[in-house]
Every structure is written in structure tokens, then in C-alpha cells.
Amino acid sequence: MVQKTDNLSSQFPDIEGTVAQCSLPNAISFTLNLASTALRIRVALPLNEQIETTSNNPAANIHRYPVLYLLDANASFASVVETNRRLSRRPDATRVTPAIIVGIDGDSGTLYDTELRKQLYSDVTDPATSSESQPAPLAEINAEKFLGFIKTELFPLIQRLFLADPQQQYLLGHSLAGYFTTWVLANHPATFQGYAAISPSLWQNPDTLNALTSGTWQQQIPHEENAALASAKEAAEKSPRVFLAVGEWEESLAPWQHGHPKAEEIAERRQARGMVSNVLALGEALTTQLGEEQVQYAVYPGEDHASVFGTTLGRAMRHLLIPDITPAKNT
């Protein structure tokens, strides 16, 4: 669904009706600064909610919506918003509830800001600029600082302005942003109640994969003082839900690529990165740690690194945005 804006009829004289640009209805965008870098924030509300601040309307007993925080929003915000709106029309049939979608990206307008993504999602010091005797200078932006921005600036703002449920916050990332999603799970698991990492670039830092597969990351999940009093159900509810997906052709050549002039080089790179193997290993380990109810992972036939995002988007929402969770109340 799109909303028409800005009359462009004068530029298309052959069209009799009104010509206008299109944008998503019930959505806004604005910028916030992380250090000296402007980030473009997009917010889309369910269609039955008005685009207005709730700051001056702190009514009790008001239902709040889960919030899906989307990384690399320049490339996928509209797709994610429309998918949630389409599926959540019939939550009884789709098992997807309406949600607030918050997109985060750079303000350059490019589909993927390669350099900015490296800064936002990187937790690894560039070996080319550091050594044991002379470490690289602390970056102005890195994964830790980006997550701090989300937690201390973006979370409070979204919760203050919109009907956002602080007990239902989820993170969605693809590729390098998918790696960042797993990094947050490994190092700050209580930040979100659920994580969807589609084609995560786990090869970026083996330490993150090792922390997750070994189970050491669970030491950072808050536990009851008296663990004996916590039921299995309560323990599961405090553990994050995790969705992992990867395409069949991410660790080998797709059939249509065998004639590529650099086919051998591409195949070697994919084998070295082990995208499919890493997701399978991580999914198996997390399922053992958290249980089948909390974790969903799969290799999707016929999909590559780019196409798997659209294929699995609805499945990720079905795993995270469950309609039978009672929304929190603003008291």
C-alpha cells in the first residue's frame, strides 16, 4: 500500500489523471546523530494507529505493539513494513501480529552504505591498522557504540513517542547486519527479546560463533536469584527467540554461475566463509541450549545470499511476532 504525495502532473502531460510520488502511509522518517554521523530512522505504525506522538497521552491500560528494529533499512524498509501489514491482517491464520517497524540506516540515500556498515556492525579491529605494540585508535563508530545508541537513545525515544512495548523488542539483520545481530545475542542477549539473523556473515569473527555455540553467552542472561523457583516455562520466556536462515547457494556456486569468468574464485571464497555450515552449527547449538520452541533455523533451497531475505521474511515474523503474547500495559 502506498500513499500519493507531491503533484507531478506537469512532468507527465500525456497522463490525464493526477501524477504523484508514492510513499508508505503511516510512516515517518527523521535523523539522529551517532557521534558525527547522521543516521536515518524510519518508523511505520500499524495502519489502524494514527501517526502522532503518545507523549501527552499516557493513558493507563493502553495496548502497546511489539517493535521490530530493522538494520540496513535503506534496502528493505518498505518490504518489511508491507510484509508485516499483509500478514498481520489475519493473525489467526498467519501467526503474525501487527508491529511497529523501526528502520535504521545511514542518511546517504544509497541502498547499502558499505563503509558505514563496516563501522556500525564491526567488533573487530582492522589488522591493517594495528599491532600488539601499537593498537589502532578507537573508532568513532563501532558495534558497541552503535548498540549503545540503540539502547540509550533510540529505545527511549520510540517508547516515549509511540505505543511501543518495551517487553517485545526484536532485531532483524541480513548479511553483515545479520552478523551484528548474532554479536548482540552473544554479548548483550537481554537487549532484545528475539533475534532474526538472515544469512549472517559469521565468518567476520569466529569468537562470536564460538561464544554462541559453546553456550558461554548464556552467562549474560539475567537469572532468578532462586533458580529453583523458576519453572521451565518461565526460563524459556526469559530466553530470547532466535531465527536463522541461509540460502542453499551461499557456500557453493548456483547452477547459473558455473559459466562465470571468476567461478573458481567465487566458489573458493564461499567455501572459505562457510555461510551454510556456520548457520547449521549455530542453529543446532542454540536449539540444544534454548529448545526447539525458541529456535528456528533452516537452509532454504534454491536461494542465494540476496534472495533468501525476501523468502524468509514472513517466517522470521511468524517466529518472533506471535499474536498470542499479551501486550504490556502502560501503567
Side-chain angles (χ1 to χ4, degrees):
M1 181 183 229
V2 293
Q3 177 177 317
K4 297 178 179 179
T5 59
D6 302 329
N7 193 327
L8 301 176
S9 298
S10 61
Q11 299 179 36
F12 296 88
D14 294 337
I15 299 177
E16 293 183 3
T18 301
V19 180
Q21 290 184 347
C22 295
S23 64
L24 285 170
N26 240 34
I28 63 170
S29 74
F30 53 91
T31 58
L32 294 175
N33 287 331
L34 170 57
S36 60
T37 299
L39 298 180
R40 172 63 55 181
I41 310 299
R42 297 173 174 87
V43 181
L45 301 185
L47 290 175
N48 61 312
E49 295 293 339
Q50 293 185 342
I51 280 288
E52 61 181 12
T53 177
T54 59
S55 298
N56 298 320
N57 183 28
N61 302 320
I62 192 166
H63 288 305
R64 292 181 172 267
Y65 292 93
V67 186
L68 183 61
Y69 287 86
L70 169 68
L71 305 174
D72 291 338
N74 286 352
S76 56
F77 183 70
S79 299
V80 173
V81 171
E82 293 290 12
T83 298
N84 180 253
R85 288 175 175 175
R86 182 170 61 253
L87 295 180
S88 64
R89 289 185 67 249
R90 288 286 310 281
D92 58 319
T94 64
R95 200 194 183 207
V96 176
T97 196
I100 297 171
I101 311 298
V102 178
I104 313 170
D105 211 326
D107 194 34
S108 65
T110 58
L111 200 64
Y112 290 103
D113 189 329
T114 303
E115 291 306 313
L116 180 60
R117 294 175 80 238
K118 289 179 181 178
Q119 295 178 67
L120 293 178
Y121 308 144
S122 176
D123 65 310
V124 184
T125 302
D126 184 354
T129 60
S130 66
S131 63
E132 290 185 7
S133 60
Q134 188 175 6
L138 191 62
E140 183 182 47
I141 302 174
N142 57 29
E144 199 73 56
K145 292 180 180 180
F146 179 46
L147 181 61
F149 161 83
I150 292 173
K151 293 167 65 175
T152 63
E153 294 190 44
L154 194 54
F155 277 1
L157 181 67
I158 298 301
Q159 291 163 18
R160 186 170 70 249
L161 296 182
F162 306 106
L163 298 173
D165 183 352
Q167 301 304 315
Q168 294 190 71
Q169 300 185 129
Y170 306 97
L171 183 63
L172 169 61
H174 168 254
S175 190
L176 188 56
Y179 168 74
F180 175 79
T181 301
T182 62
W183 175 84
V184 178
L185 175 63
N187 294 277
H188 305 276
T191 304
F192 297 90
Q193 284 68 54
Y195 297 83
I198 301 175
S199 294
S201 300
L202 290 160
W203 53 270
Q204 285 283 329
N205 184 358
D207 290 344
T208 297
L209 180 60
N210 292 339
L212 291 170
T213 54
S214 68
T216 57
W217 69 279
Q218 291 181 290
Q219 298 172 8
Q220 302 191 58
I221 299 177
H223 296 287
E224 296 288 342
E225 292 184 10
N226 189 347
L229 297 179
S231 67
K233 181 179 179 181
E234 290 171 335
E237 288 175 348
K238 291 191 176 182
S239 298
R241 298 180 71 82
V242 180
F243 177 88
L244 302 169
V246 66
E248 175 186 8
W249 304 119
E250 296 199 53
E251 201 166 312
S252 60
L253 288 177
W256 56 86
Q257 290 186 304
H258 286 281
H260 193 284
K262 295 185 177 180
E264 184 175 347
E265 177 184 334
I266 295 171
E268 290 178 357
R269 182 170 63 247
R270 291 182 181 177
Q271 280 289 323
R273 290 181 173 181
M275 296 284 286
V276 174
S277 302
N278 286 339
V279 165
L280 289 176
L282 179 57
E284 182 178 351
L286 291 178
T287 300
T288 300
Q289 297 163 21
L290 302 177
E292 293 183 357
E293 181 67 24
Q294 297 297 103
V295 180
Q296 185 177 121
Y297 71 101
V299 179
Y300 288 85
E303 304 298 342
D304 58 32
H305 188 66
S307 67
V308 71
F309 182 82
T311 300
T312 60
L313 193 51
R315 293 173 182 263
M317 291 183 184
R318 181 174 294 145
H319 187 63
L320 300 182
L321 304 176
I322 303 174
D324 58 0
I325 295 178
T326 304
K329 295 181 179 180
N330 182 21
T331 53

